[in-house]
Amino acid sequence: MELNDVVQRVLGNIFVELEASGRHVHVTKAQAQVLFGHPLTPKRPLSQPGQYLANERVTVVGPKGQFENVAVLGPERSAGQVEISLTDGRTLGIAPPVRLSGDIAGTPGAVLVGPMGQVILNEGVICAKRHIHMTRSDAARFGVQDKQVVALRTYTARPVVFEDTVVRVSDDFATYVHLDYDEANACGFVNGDLGRIVK
Amino acid sequence: MELNDVVQRVLGNIFVELEASGRHVHVTKAQAQVLFGHPLTPKRPLSQPGQYLANERVTVVGPKGQFENVAVLGPERSAGQVEISLTDGRTLGIAPPVRLSGDIAGTPGAVLVGPMGQVILNEGVICAKRHIHMTRSDAARFGVQDKQVVALRTYTARPVVFEDTVVRVSDDFATYVHLDYDEANACGFVNGDLGRIVK
């Protein structure tokens, strides 16, 4: 084994890599058809297996403002969803609840505008609750279970311990911490920074 | 002593109230003259004794973008300074270092535009390092000293432990934690929320 591989393997027993998720949208197949006139097309893969950044972009409109050119992530899902930071919420005039992805019942809505049409989401605007994607083998190694709430220390320019961080375990995942940009900036995150589960 | 006073006094022995500082600008007397044609005029007092939000507002211009209607805080200081979040820095195209207020040597500059003129700051753009203002008596009670670095837990919707939080002690201060809006949103702060020094 090369030295670099050894280092990576040791680090992987202690740390989890951090990623910052910018504002983005998920759409259904029907919504993609309305917005773009065709299904989503992949531009580049994301860290989570099978997930991709689409070539398609939308404008997200709220009561007080809008964001143009917002990323759409594929593949299509069973419900439309808009994931924004609390900072973004102030710009849009929407107060998103802090929820795990997919947990959208009773959340605020927004309007999505694409090049071919627009879609009114009656619900689906959330601030993604910080979470750790983990494979089953990594979860076993770190001694944590699906849905477990942990505290995560960031090894970043402005170190922070994020309490109430939810672990999500699936062999469909790659092991990464997902923060939103408020959290990423609050801890001074740059690409490649690491975190550690501290309790 | 009224029950409410007792409660306040007990809480004040354990917690410190949090405040979020939005983006703002400090100017010198000469800069105020150029920007507004007169000295700053107070609109309302801030939590720190003698400090105030001015009636005057400026536009802050960076290489990639600008913010209009930015708060100016008085009284005037010996050097101009722009305090923004890292999120704001992305909008302006300026990467502010994380510094304590006043520590501006070698920091990036920006242009301030007022109704009467504009001022080029060759330096002075910072992201304010999170800090706790404390009176001497509160510092003695909490067992901390000026410039001490502590960790602060927030009792907020998204609890966080902010490491590397600097204590600043002066009898010119009122006791408050100052976070920027990235930090405030990362912990889900709302007005009245409390923090506790945990180490």
Side-chain angles (χ1 to χ4, degrees):
Chain A
M1 194 156 49
E2 297 290 327
L3 178 58
N4 195 42
D5 294 336
V6 175
V7 170
Q8 286 302 319
R9 200 147 152 182
V10 170
L11 289 180
N13 280 299
I14 304 171
F15 298 104
V16 180
E17 190 168 342
L18 308 177
E19 284 188 330
S21 301
R23 70 182 78 102
H24 65 269
V25 168
H26 298 282
V27 295
T28 66
K29 285 183 180 175
Q31 289 165 350
Q33 194 63 38
V34 171
L35 292 165
F36 313 114
H38 56 76
L40 296 178
T41 59
K43 179 182 172 93
R44 63 171 176 79
L46 301 174
S47 63
Q48 295 304 311
Q51 305 294 304
Y52 59 84
L53 173 68
N55 289 300
E56 293 74 22
R57 299 252 164 182
V58 292
T59 297
V60 177
V61 183
K64 282 196 181 169
Q66 63 181 45
F67 290 112
E68 297 176 7
N69 207 32
V70 176
V72 180
L73 305 190
E76 292 88 347
R77 293 196 176 182
S78 60
Q81 182 170 297
V82 177
E83 298 185 38
I84 59 174
S85 69
L86 296 182
T87 298
D88 291 341
R90 283 168 183 260
T91 302
L92 293 177
I94 298 172
V98 179
R99 298 273 188 100
L100 285 177
S101 184
D103 178 18
I104 60 169
T107 60
V111 176
L112 306 182
V113 181
M116 298 292 282
Q118 67 177 48
V119 167
I120 297 171
L121 295 180
N122 291 315
E123 62 183 16
V125 181
I126 63 169
C127 174
K129 193 177 173 80
R130 53 197 175 229
H131 57 277
I132 310 176
H133 291 277
M134 266 203 193
T135 61
R136 287 190 194 284
S137 61
D138 282 342
R141 211 151 41 73
F142 284 106
V144 295
Q145 298 186 313
D146 189 39
K147 300 196 175 76
Q148 187 172 336
V149 175
V150 300
L152 180 99
R153 184 184 191 273
T154 68
Y155 290 77
T156 51
R158 308 164 95 183
V160 157
V161 179
F162 288 117
E163 301 188 10
D164 280 6
T165 303
V166 183
V167 176
R168 301 173 63 191
V169 180
S170 164
D171 280 333
D172 295 337
F173 291 154
T175 298
Y176 282 95
V177 176
H178 279 183
L179 303 175
D180 71 19
Y181 262 93
D182 287 334
E183 294 163 334
N185 285 328
C187 72
F189 163 83
V190 294
N191 282 330
D193 279 346
L194 301 174
R196 188 166 63 87
I197 295 172
V198 289
K199 68 177 183 193
Chain B
M1 195 155 50
E2 295 291 327
L3 178 60
N4 194 41
D5 294 336
V6 175
V7 170
Q8 286 303 317
R9 200 147 152 182
V10 170
L11 288 180
N13 280 301
I14 304 170
F15 298 105
V16 179
E17 189 167 342
L18 307 178
E19 285 189 328
S21 300
R23 69 182 79 101
H24 66 269
V25 167
H26 298 282
V27 295
T28 67
K29 286 183 179 173
Q31 288 164 350
Q33 194 63 38
V34 171
L35 292 165
F36 313 115
H38 56 76
L40 296 178
T41 58
K43 181 182 170 94
R44 64 171 175 79
L46 301 174
S47 64
Q48 295 305 310
Q51 306 294 303
Y52 59 83
L53 173 68
N55 289 299
E56 293 74 23
R57 299 251 163 182
V58 292
T59 297
V60 177
V61 184
K64 282 196 181 170
Q66 63 181 45
F67 290 112
E68 298 176 6
N69 207 32
V70 175
V72 179
L73 305 190
E76 292 89 346
R77 292 196 178 184
S78 60
Q81 182 170 296
V82 177
E83 298 185 37
I84 58 173
S85 68
L86 297 182
T87 297
D88 290 341
R90 283 169 183 260
T91 302
L92 293 177
I94 297 172
V98 179
R99 298 272 189 99
L100 285 177
S101 184
D103 178 16
I104 60 168
T107 60
V111 177
L112 307 182
V113 181
M116 298 292 282
Q118 68 177 49
V119 167
I120 297 171
L121 295 179
N122 291 314
E123 60 182 18
V125 181
I126 64 169
C127 173
K129 192 176 172 79
R130 53 197 176 228
H131 56 277
I132 310 177
H133 290 278
M134 266 203 192
T135 61
R136 287 190 193 284
S137 61
D138 282 343
R141 211 151 42 74
F142 283 107
V144 295
Q145 297 186 311
D146 189 40
K147 300 196 176 74
Q148 187 171 336
V149 175
V150 300
L152 179 99
R153 185 184 192 273
T154 68
Y155 290 78
T156 50
R158 309 163 94 183
V160 158
V161 178
F162 288 116
E163 300 188 11
D164 280 6
T165 303
V166 182
V167 176
R168 301 173 65 191
V169 180
S170 164
D171 279 333
D172 295 336
F173 291 156
T175 298
Y176 282 94
V177 176
H178 279 183
L179 304 174
D180 71 18
Y181 262 92
D182 287 334
E183 294 163 334
N185 285 327
C187 72
F189 163 83
V190 296
N191 282 331
D193 278 347
L194 301 175
R196 188 165 63 86
I197 294 172
V198 289
K199 69 177 182 192

